[in-house]
Amino acid sequence: MSHTQAIAQSNQNKKDQDAPMTSKAENTYTGNRGLSIEEGLIFEQDTPGLTGVDWPEIDLFDNRLGGLVRESIGLPGLSEPEVVRHYTRLSQKNYAIDTGLYPLGSCTMKHNPRLNEKVARLFGDVHPLQPLSTVQGALDVIHQLAHWLTQLTGLPAVAMSPAAGAHGELCGMMAIKAAIEARGEKRPIVLVPESAHGTNPATAAACGFTVQTIPANDRGRVDLAALKSALSGQVAAIMLTNPNTCGLFEPDIIEIAQALHAAGAFFYCDGANFNAIVGKVRPGDLGIDCMHINLHKTFSTPHGGGGPGSGPVVLSEALAPFAPLPYVVRGKDGELRLVEHAEEQLQPIGRLKGFHGQMGMFVRALAYMMSHGADGLRQVAEDAVLNANYILAQLKDDLTLPFEGPCMHEVLFDERFLKGTGVTALDFTKALIDEGFHPMTMYFPLVVNGALLIEPTECEGKASLDLFIGAIKHLVTLAKEGHKDHFAEAPRFTPRRRLDETRAARQHILRWVKKS
Ligand SMILES: *Cc1c(COP(=O)(O)O)cnc(C)c1O
């Protein structure tokens, strides 16, 4: 079959199939919505036998697999242009920080400078099993990044291998548990403030601790009196985020640290939101013993659908001996080596990951730090906080604020402004999609009913923020003027409209199965 014949044949096959995965747009013959093309999965576009490559027949092939020969490995048959179109179209369905404002609170969706990408490509050929003498440069990147992380946080040690924020939490809490056991103590309780990220109580529970919740006060901060009265010889640690997930700085943090230490407990800080304070304050100076840093948030690097995370954990003197393997050290001869087995007086918690961590992320984070410099990193924090407060100031009379006063890198609103309009917070955010914006984080943190958490990051300019603010003001007006339907029908312009999110979250369909 010639190439063109093959395509014609495959298009014919497609018309013959009914495509159950596609819901057709109204009023178009093709089901496409403008230039947004409707199509099924690549497996549904299968024309058996069609391929972009012509393989030579193998004549002299002596099959010694007996009955184990597979007729097919189930790959769909498509021509090269069909494959290219399919994946290009898929990429166009993606909303990304590269296409517009992505104000997802607590997620820090910031621009990834292309310089980082260029530098990361230089390390594309490095293999983790290469002899160390041939990868001194790569080890140097890990070593230098580790150095700057300790400098920025004011803590003496860092474990580089954790592969995400939650993985870093696991690392830190395992180190705390090991330190407590090494003291011959049993402390079964970990305190977690009500406003915590869900990963915090999950990590504590995964490490075998019992989670005790500390309430928030009416200013959205940890209730210091409740915290103090929860302290005892049974408490191993607190897991606290600062700035917290209400976007607020915990002003009692030093007193919290002192109270914990007086009770023999450790202070784990969730540093995923370090972007709000980097270059301004060193967590070690606040009395924090252990903190993970989401390189993929604070120090850019693509994440979410765009790439892996990386969650190095900085550790105090007391926790450093328990850091996981491996780590990079510089020998007396100047050579960098990897410590793969416990050395004297160290009691590593083990290994958390194959090899040395997320090398590509290390390169990007170091490139980000070095290109910003000390003053640039400080400005990152300042601009992130400024942008969030600009949104706060512009929208505080349109939306409702659960907690008064300035915020840090993200601003928390709630749904009370919708009271009496018949529009829910969910409807409201769906209408924002029609305006071309990814919605903010919603219904989190849990301490606030109908939370709407906006994190603009420092990367947005005033024009972009003003457009976003304008869109929100417009929607508030529509809601208050009684245009309920505008919201109930949103989103109208997306390839898919309202999804059954509850069912999608509970009944995963993760595998395509061929209908026989
Ligand atoms: C993002 C985030 C985490 C989890 O980080 P992952 O890399 O997604 O595992 C934990 N805590 C807070 C406050 C976060 O914002």
Side-chain angles (χ1 to χ4, degrees), residues 106 164-166 169 197 199 241 245 270 272-273 292 294 296-297:
S106 209
E169 290 176 37
H197 195 266
T199 49
T241 311
T245 54
D270 179 333
N273 298 336
H292 73 265
N294 285 30
H296 48 292
K297 293 180 181 170

Side-chain angles (χ1 to χ4, degrees), residues 412-488:
L412 178 61
F413 294 104
D414 64 22
E415 67 184 2
R416 283 173 301 154
F417 70 99
L418 290 170
K419 204 162 174 229
T421 61
V423 177
T424 68
L426 186 72
D427 297 336
F428 189 82
T429 55
K430 295 294 183 197
L432 203 52
I433 298 176
D434 280 340
E435 297 291 341
F437 292 107
H438 192 287
M440 60 289 273
T441 292
M442 64 181 313
Y443 300 133
F444 173 83
L446 305 177
V447 277
V448 167
N449 278 332
L452 297 167
L453 184 63
I454 302 173
E455 180 177 11
T457 81
E458 73 282 5
C459 302
E460 299 301 327
K462 184 166 177 298
S464 151
L465 295 180
D466 283 339
L467 191 64
F468 177 66
I469 289 162
I472 291 194
K473 282 179 183 282
H474 169 72
L475 293 177
V476 172
T477 308
L478 286 182
K480 292 193 170 157
E481 284 176 353
H483 299 282
K484 239 168 49 180
D485 293 347
H486 180 86
F487 295 90

